[in-house]
Amino acid sequence: MYVCLCKGITDSQIRDAVCAGASSLRQVRKQLGVMSQCGKCGILTREIVQETVEQRNLDANESLFYAAN
């Protein structure tokens, strides 16, 4: 789904940027250029970044645990 119509940026591109190492809204904005024109995409972009960072952290924490034999 398109999040930023001004720059043609999708939710997948935002998630990919976070998975590639961007851990803040500022880093995603710098990398993709999202929120650099009209700013209407700001709220949705922030939500996507937060959700993706949280999911990435959960996935990382789950990999720390393993079944005891």
Side-chain angles (χ1 to χ4, degrees):
M1 152 183 77
Y2 281 95
V3 174
C4 178
L5 298 177
C6 297
K7 295 284 189 167
I9 298 170
T10 65
D11 59 327
S12 296
Q13 289 174 294
I14 295 169
R15 287 186 182 92
D16 290 344
V18 172
C19 290
S23 60
S24 69
L25 187 59
R26 180 177 292 180
Q27 290 173 340
V28 171
R29 181 179 180 201
K30 185 176 180 181
Q31 184 176 344
L32 298 177
V34 68
M35 300 178 351
S36 62
Q37 291 195 2
C38 78
K40 291 181 181 178
C41 59
I43 293 171
L44 183 55
T45 301
R46 181 177 290 115
E47 290 174 2
I48 294 169
V49 170
Q50 288 175 343
E51 289 172 4
T52 308
V53 167
E54 288 172 6
Q55 185 61 48
R56 190 176 71 178
N57 290 340
L58 284 175
D59 292 344
N61 287 338
E62 287 178 4
S63 68
L64 295 176
F65 300 101
Y66 56 91
N69 292 326

